[in-house]
Amino acid sequence: MGKKEKYRVVLVDDHNLFRNGLKGLLGRYPSCEVVGEAADGATFLELLEKTVCDVVLLDIDMPGMNGIEAAERALASHPDLKIITLSMHGDEEYYFRMVETGVKGFLLKNSDIDDVVTAISVVGEGGSFFSQELLFSLVGSLKSTRNRHDLQTEEELSDREKEVLLLICKGLSNQQIADELFISKRTVDKHRANILEKTGCKNTANLVVFAIKHSLVEI
């Protein structure tokens, strides 16, 4: 099955100006269609019951029900829902909880619109997306707290698995990793599955945060 020609997107943010601006920018891309909007978590949950969408762009910091609670409730009733979190610098403390909840993508609100469209496409097809700026911000916030010696997993990963893990954290797809390492995509698929099993991570977003938190990679 090929990629979708158009992704149905729901925008959830309490700032009308930001939401309307993002909607206008996405409207310039034939691959994106905004099918719903909400200014708070409760309205978003109501919207989900009557709107079919492929991807949700969800703000973390909203009054009333924040993005974390909204994501938890939405995924409890719609486990296949694909959510991309929109955040500001300084929201790093929330990322781990959002990953555990099942969010598949993270974007800073000052991201370029091309990155937003790429994230929608990647997450819409079942992948995970971290903006590179956010990754560096996350690495910086963890430098003072992480510990290279509190995890046996680092020794359990093979050298090849560490290579694959680094490229996963850099946002490469399995096919791109295969091309980079001159191995087959099937081999990369197997390495990824082994890494997820060894680390106990449920998905790629979870794995990226786990790897950074435990110094399994240097980005």
Side-chain angles (χ1 to χ4, degrees):
M1 183 182 296
K3 291 179 63 176
K4 286 180 176 290
E5 293 184 2
K6 188 180 292 289
Y7 299 95
R8 296 162 296 188
V9 181
V10 166
L11 305 179
V12 187
D13 191 286
D14 61 308
H15 292 97
N16 291 337
L17 187 61
F18 176 83
R19 202 171 62 246
N20 291 336
L22 183 54
K23 180 180 180 180
L25 290 171
L26 290 176
R28 300 176 183 177
Y29 291 77
S31 62
C32 298
E33 178 186 7
V34 176
V35 296
E37 301 177 57
D40 57 75
T43 304
F44 163 54
L45 295 179
E46 294 175 2
L47 181 66
L48 272 185
E49 300 307 315
K50 56 186 177 182
T51 304
V52 177
C53 65
D54 299 304
V55 177
V56 176
L57 296 179
L58 176 65
D59 186 23
I60 286 183
D61 188 15
M62 296 185 293
M65 185 189 302
N66 63 26
I68 297 172
E69 184 178 355
E72 289 173 341
R73 293 193 181 188
L75 288 166
S77 56
H78 300 80
D80 294 328
L81 189 66
K82 298 177 176 68
I83 297 177
I84 298 172
T85 293
L86 299 172
S87 66
M88 302 290 289
H89 278 298
D91 287 338
E92 288 85 354
E93 63 184 287
Y94 301 117
Y95 296 155
F96 305 114
R97 185 171 169 187
M98 293 296 276
V99 166
E100 289 298 325
T101 298
V103 169
K104 298 297 177 61
F106 293 82
L107 285 168
L108 288 171
K109 280 193 168 183
N110 63 353
S111 296
D112 186 85
I113 187 60
D114 287 337
D115 288 335
V116 177
V117 173
T118 297
I120 290 171
S121 175
V122 170
V123 172
E125 293 300 320
S128 298
F129 185 92
F130 279 77
S131 69
Q132 289 301 301
E133 187 177 0
L134 179 54
L135 275 180
F136 286 118
S137 174
L138 189 58
V139 169
S141 72
L142 292 172
K143 279 184 177 178
S144 62
T145 61
R146 60 189 185 175
N147 186 345
R148 294 191 65 91
H149 304 293
D150 65 352
L151 193 71
Q152 293 181 348
T153 303
E154 186 175 2
E155 284 70 46
E156 295 173 359
L157 295 180
S158 69
D159 290 341
R160 178 62 90 186
E161 286 169 345
K162 291 177 183 178
E163 287 181 305
V164 171
L165 177 58
L166 175 60
L167 295 176
I168 289 173
C169 291
K170 289 184 175 182
L172 273 65
S173 68
N174 283 14
Q175 185 59 62
Q176 290 172 324
I177 294 172
D179 295 341
E180 178 81 13
L181 298 179
F182 302 101
I183 57 179
S184 71
K185 179 179 177 297
R186 180 175 296 182
T187 299
V188 176
D189 292 341
K190 183 176 181 181
H191 284 314
R192 183 189 288 263
N194 288 340
I195 294 168
L196 289 171
E197 181 178 359
K198 287 182 178 181
T199 59
C201 294
K202 295 179 291 186
N203 54 54
T204 303
N206 196 182
L207 178 61
V208 170
V209 171
F210 181 95
I212 294 172
K213 185 175 183 179
H214 294 286
S215 296
L216 297 181
V217 298
E218 292 293 339
I219 297 178

